[in-house]
Amino acid sequence: MEKICGAALGVCFQCKKCSSGCPVAKLAKSRPSEIMRQLHLGAGNELLESDLVWACVSCETCSTRCPMGIDVAGVIDALRKLALERGAPKPAGNVPLFNRAFLRTVQMFGRSYEIGMVAAYKLGTGTWMNDTEKFPTMLKKGKISLLPPRGGDRKTVRRIFKQSKKNQGPQA
Amino acid sequence: MRYAYFPGCSAESTARDMHQSTLAVARALGIDLVEPKGWTCCGATAGHQTDHFLAVSLPAANMAKVRDMNLDMVVSCAACFNRMKVANHEIAAHPATRKQVGEALERDYDGSVKVRHFLEVLLDDVGLKAISRAVKHSLNGLKVACYYGCLLVRPPKILKFDDPENPMSLDRLVEAIGGQSLDWPCKVECCGGGLSLSRTDVVVQLTDSILDMACRAGADCVAVSCPLCQVNLDLRQQDIRKQTGRNHQMPILYITQLVGLCLGIRRDELGFEKLMVPASTVLEKVAAN
């Protein structure tokens, strides 16, 4: 863990500042300080199923306020990385699928394409009806584009994605 | 004043109003913004949560293009601003990362392009005095809750934007154009960011408590400078009303829309019609002077 995220986990003394400031701690079953403590106690793969790992909004309040300078958000990043690598069960809202859908449009068009992303995500989660009532207004106000974005340097972006896939090895 | 301007993907979709008002304000203040040709997505939170290499390389591809333009890079989206600065930091601090990124880009990039938020240009380069002088219509004491969110201020060691707990840059700008900036406790709280679609339940709860606090502080509107904050706070008011019965009716404006209004720029050039919660109270107050 320390190797992946570069944080010195041992200096945490459980002041719980990270949990007090965490906007999702009260909505999730586990808190950042609890994850830190579980890591001290040698927890393994069970941590990857903690709902905080994907409910975390990456706001970095925990890292900013930690009196010992631990990058707590970096610890969560590392847990996400391991969860993806080790195929942990799908979290609520299937955030990894959302991220993949988003990145797939970037890979294709060089820039993100909302309709494509939303369609792929909804197809994967079966949440067709969510937010559909907002779609006509957003379209009318020009807040959503029907056509995919143009003008981005797709060649460079495709090379980046190719390299990323190579880095992750054959299982990715 | 000439800069390379990175609009970001949301400038072509949910945040056209941010993009339009940034360009209009820049024009009015004599700031020259040049788009780098072929700019691409910064990877946003999805990139950051998926793969470190993607999270660094996608922003770097854009900064390498700006390197050739010999200009500072100006960003108006707080999320892109954050990803660019973090990527620069990673590349400058880790030679191995720099090498790997360079291989994918087929060119070396050293992490040296200066990345600045459009707000920094307004505050530091144009200056508050010059902006005050250019004001044609004052905000007329409009009570504004300035909302910074996460990505402008954290991580502070890398972004070096403002105080991470009580930032004041937006507030100073609001005061300079005749508004009253409010002292309120949610300036740097999180709106739920990129979880808008995947964990709407989380976003509805977070935005509800932020909006509730803005209402209690007596705000006429909330000023933002991040497209994720704007969409979540503006669009989710419908869901909050349905789920909790609370009707905040709080206009969520980009700071550039407020500045543009004061500079006398036409409302349709500032994208006011794109707001989900209409800003009629704001417009009436400004028109009254």
Side-chain angles (χ1 to χ4, degrees), chain A residues 27 57-59 61 64-65 77 93 99 110-112 114 121 131 134 141-143 145 151 153 159 164, chain B residues 9 12-14 16 38-41 48-49 51 65 104-105 150 154 165 198 205 236 239 273-275:
Chain A
L27 310 173
V57 278
S58 304
C59 75
T61 306
T64 305
R65 292 186 183 165
D77 280 343
N99 291 344
R111 295 176 191 169
S112 66
E114 250 122 22
Y121 174 69
D131 291 329
K134 301 187 185 77
K141 287 179 182 282
K143 277 186 165 284
S145 291
D153 172 4
R159 273 204 311 274
S164 154
Chain B
C9 304
E12 297 182 332
S13 58
T14 51
R16 267 179 226 270
W39 62 265
T40 45
C41 177
H48 168 197
Q49 294 192 340
D51 175 29
K65 289 184 170 60
L105 300 185
C150 312
R154 290 187 293 262
E165 299 292 352
S198 50
Q205 293 201 42
R236 293 296 167 202
D239 303 271
E273 76 288 353
K274 296 194 193 306
L275 300 170

Side-chain angles (χ1 to χ4, degrees), chain B residues 38-76:
Chain B
W39 62 265
T40 45
C41 177
C42 72
T45 308
H48 168 197
Q49 294 192 340
T50 304
D51 175 29
H52 180 257
F53 170 76
L54 272 184
V56 178
S57 307
L58 289 171
N62 293 292
M63 294 189 285
K65 289 184 170 60
V66 172
R67 168 88 285 169
D68 296 340
M69 298 165 78
N70 265 327
L71 296 169
D72 285 357
M73 181 188 222
V74 167
V75 188
S76 54

Side-chain angles (χ1 to χ4, degrees), chain B residues 172-189:
Chain B
R172 287 193 286 135
L173 189 51
V174 163
E175 299 272 340
I177 55 177
Q180 182 191 340
S181 81
L182 298 173
D183 187 12
W184 71 307
C186 289
K187 282 181 167 183
V188 295
E189 288 299 316

